[in-house]
Amino acid sequence: MDRLDKWLCARTEHSRKEIKTWIRDGKVQINGIRITDPGVHVAATDSVFLNGSHICAEEFVYIMQNKPPGVVSVSRSDQEKTVVDLLPPDLRRKGLFPAGRLDKDTTGFVLITDDGEFAHRILSPRRHVTKTYTAVLRDPAGSAYREAFQRGISLADGTVCLAADLEYTDDPCIVRVFLREGRYHQVRRMFAALGNQVIALHRDAIGGLQLDASLLPGESRPLTMEELSQITNEQLS
Ligand code: URA
């Protein structure tokens, strides 16, 4: 059990000093009762509100975002809007970062968390958590692409990619790509190695978790318990 000020500090983006002031000003409620002592202990089952917003009690948060184009996949940037900047105030807390980067112009599923070990397991090629992308290509996908992906594409700098899957769609210029690793600009460089060009790229899924189709570009929501245990089980299998 943590003191209220420490508990809130770990679960919001605010400083301990700000929080202490709010508590003393009566801006915090535990189980519907106004609390003005920062030293009160918070129990696991307590429901805490700060300035009228419910504060998620979990130690870590796991957020699904539908990244729009033009936003960078980092925690903080002085120049550009980041995926963390797009989070609504009630999902913000210190230490959030995207578990894996999408290029600025790539859209789709980004997982944002403050759990470093979880992120490592998602990203490690050894765990085989597949990332699924839809790529729009400049030229129709050749019939040899699928086999080339399965053999392992050699990038221009000599890097040989792990075997990947490619699925054709009804549109010859749109393919689905399944990767088990996440190199810089990987999908774009794989198609460049085949003499083609990616015009648009969207991440549809991380492991068995599909991006929620009801999330509009720029919107985010926490993973449900079921989604979290699904992806955690995949990481461990
Ligand atoms: N591959 C890319 O080329 N870009 C991304 O954003 C993700 C995978």
Side-chain angles (χ1 to χ4, degrees):
M1 278 208 303
D2 268 333
R3 291 168 51 100
L4 179 57
D5 54 357
K6 188 168 171 220
W7 189 98
L8 278 169
C9 191
R11 290 165 180 79
T12 65
E13 55 181 346
H14 307 295
S15 68
R16 190 97 168 244
K17 192 165 160 224
E18 271 177 306
I19 285 168
K20 276 188 173 162
T21 308
W22 280 325
I23 296 171
R24 295 212 173 92
D25 287 350
K27 302 278 174 55
V28 175
Q29 293 187 330
I30 300 183
N31 305 327
I33 297 164
R34 185 144 52 96
I35 304 292
T36 53
D37 175 2
V40 161
H41 281 97
V42 182
T45 51
D46 283 342
S47 167
V48 181
F49 279 75
L50 169 65
N51 291 324
S53 292
H54 182 251
I55 304 298
C56 171
E58 302 300 328
E59 186 181 0
F60 297 119
V61 288
Y62 308 90
I63 299 163
M64 172 189 288
Q65 178 175 102
N66 184 1
K67 178 190 170 305
V71 169
V72 291
S73 298
V74 294
S75 307
R76 205 165 295 156
S77 165
D78 291 335
Q79 278 92 42
E80 305 186 272
K81 203 178 245 319
T82 75
V83 290
V84 171
D85 293 335
L86 293 182
L87 295 176
D90 61 327
L91 290 182
R92 297 230 191 123
R93 53 162 77 181
K94 287 180 271 301
L96 288 175
F97 63 93
R101 289 190 176 186
L102 291 182
D103 299 337
K104 188 170 168 185
D105 289 327
T106 302
T107 55
F109 194 166
V110 175
L111 253 180
I112 299 170
T113 185
D114 50 355
D115 182 345
E117 278 182 32
F118 170 87
H120 176 73
R121 292 195 304 265
I122 289 265
L123 300 174
S124 166
R126 283 183 26 242
R127 303 280 182 168
H128 300 293
V129 177
T130 303
K131 322 294 183 305
T132 306
Y133 297 89
T134 300
V136 180
L137 304 175
R138 183 192 60 203
D139 304 319
S143 57
Y145 279 19
R146 187 152 188 268
E147 208 193 311
F149 267 64
Q150 284 173 346
R151 271 203 312 269
I153 301 270
S154 296
L155 303 178
D157 66 357
T159 306
V160 180
C161 299
L162 289 180
D165 286 321
L166 180 136
E167 210 173 77
Y168 297 96
T169 69
D170 293 341
D171 184 327
C173 287
I174 300 183
V175 288
R176 211 143 282 134
V177 176
F178 304 86
L179 296 189
R180 285 170 203 84
E181 58 183 342
R183 298 179 185 281
Y184 180 66
H185 288 341
Q186 183 163 346
V187 175
R188 296 176 203 273
R189 291 196 293 154
M190 287 167 101
F191 285 103
L194 296 171
N196 208 327
Q197 190 188 342
V198 173
I199 304 295
L201 189 61
H202 181 84
R203 182 153 70 190
D204 305 291
I206 298 177
L209 265 193
Q210 296 287 328
L211 176 64
D212 183 336
S214 71
L215 283 181
L216 297 174
E219 286 186 344
S220 308
R221 69 156 173 81
L223 295 188
T224 63
M225 293 296 279
E226 292 73 35
E227 288 170 336
L228 182 59
S229 52
Q230 180 186 336
I231 190 115
T232 307
N233 289 338
E234 283 179 40
Q235 291 175 341
L236 299 176
S237 60

